[in-house]
């Protein structure tokens, strides 16, 4: 018999944001969105796969309005470094023309991902477009970007949990934790 697998992983560093803190903040954002969009009957939550999924499923249950869900899949990362080039792997299905769209991602690092998708969506003429992210590493932005609904600003660590991964690992942790890169690279 082989050893049972280790979980949580050895490479988990510090817990930066607890499950409770996330829960509380997501409620606040949901309340704000509920207030801001009280007049619309065409609210679309558009999430970027796969990192935003956990955030989105919690957020949508804190928005007390009719909503439609859709997703896009984009990639710019391999491992823990941004390539700057953003590829659309799969597009959304809804025709967003005339919709109030909230574009949702897990984290903003350089900002290339949200900036690129934002430009693309604006060409498709939504009625409005706002940006929402759970986390933001402000110090690392390479492009001008303002996030309308932000969960937390964090320092320049690579983090996992609550949907965020490193090479697909760590998405199902209920908190946000830093990755101990030395340990990760040994594994
Ligand atoms: P950006 O295009 O450089 O802003 O990177 C944003 C994307 O990179 C996000 O959608 C994440 O998928 C990924 N990313 C950036 N930083 C982290 C991190 O610390 N942990 C996990 N994923 C990250
Ligand atoms: Mg992502």
């Amino acid at each position: 018999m082989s050893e049972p697998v280790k979980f949580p992983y050895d490479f988990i560093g510090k817990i930066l944001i607890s499950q409770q803190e996330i829960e509380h903040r997501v409620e606040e954002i949901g309340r704000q969105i509920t207030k801001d969009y009280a007049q619309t009957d065409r609210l679309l939550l558009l999430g970027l796969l796969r990192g935003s999924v956990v955030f989105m499923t919690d957020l949508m249950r804190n928005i007390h309005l009719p909503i439609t869900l859709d997703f896009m899949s984009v990639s710019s990362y391999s491992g823990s470094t941004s390539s700057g080039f953003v590829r659309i792997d799969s597009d959304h299905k809804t025709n967003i023309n005339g919709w109030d769209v909230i574009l949702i991602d897990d984290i903003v690092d350089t900002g290339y991902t949200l900036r690129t998708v934002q430009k693309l969506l604006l060409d498709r003429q939504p009625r409005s477009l706002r940006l929402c992210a759970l986390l933001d590493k402000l110090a690392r932005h390479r492009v001008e970007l303002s996030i309308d609904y932000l969960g937390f600003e964090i320092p320049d660590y690579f983090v996992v949990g609550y949907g965020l991964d490193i090479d697909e690992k760590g998405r199902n942790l209920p908190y946000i934790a830093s990755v101990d890169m030395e340990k990760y690279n040994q594994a």
Side-chain angles (χ1 to χ4, degrees), residues 7 31 37 39 49 54 66 76 92 95 116 119 123 170 183:
F7 191 84
R31 205 175 304 131
Y37 290 86
Q39 307 298 331
L49 293 172
V54 179
S76 69
H92 58 85
N95 175 358
T116 305
K119 273 197 203 153
D123 282 345
K183 285 191 183 151

Side-chain angles (χ1 to χ4, degrees), residues 76-77 82 105-113 137 157-159 164-165:
S76 69
Y77 265 66
S82 171
D105 203 3
D106 50 359
I107 185 167
V108 187
D109 182 15
T110 61
Y112 289 133
T113 301
K137 299 184 203 171
Y157 294 129
F158 200 85
V159 295
L164 290 94
D165 71 306

Side-chain angles (χ1 to χ4, degrees), residues 42-155:
R42 287 210 273 174
L43 176 57
L44 178 71
L45 303 184
L46 180 50
L48 298 186
L49 293 172
R50 287 168 278 202
S52 72
V53 163
V54 179
F55 177 38
M56 220 166 145
T57 53
D58 280 347
L59 181 61
M60 65 189 269
R61 282 172 290 179
N62 283 286
I63 298 174
H64 305 290
L65 295 171
I67 56 144
T68 295
L69 271 196
D70 210 333
F71 295 95
M72 289 173 79
S73 178
V74 305
S75 46
S76 69
Y77 265 66
S78 62
S80 64
T81 46
S82 171
S83 63
F85 175 77
V86 179
R87 190 181 63 204
I88 310 293
D89 295 322
S90 93
D91 215 335
H92 58 85
K93 303 281 184 289
T94 319
N95 175 358
I96 64 170
N97 182 222
W99 283 74
D100 292 301
V101 179
I102 304 179
L103 175 59
I104 303 176
D105 203 3
D106 50 359
I107 185 167
V108 187
D109 182 15
T110 61
Y112 289 133
T113 301
L114 276 183
R115 187 76 193 97
T116 305
V117 178
Q118 180 189 41
K119 273 197 203 153
L120 180 88
L121 296 180
L122 285 173
D123 282 345
R124 296 172 177 175
Q125 301 184 319
R127 191 164 76 157
S128 68
L129 176 62
R130 285 186 178 160
L131 306 183
C132 173
L134 178 71
L135 305 172
D136 193 351
K137 299 184 203 171
L138 257 189
R140 287 187 39 93
H141 283 203
R142 295 285 176 280
V143 292
E144 182 100 6
L145 198 66
S146 96
I147 306 298
D148 302 285
Y149 302 102
L150 175 67
F152 305 90
E153 200 188 311
I154 60 163

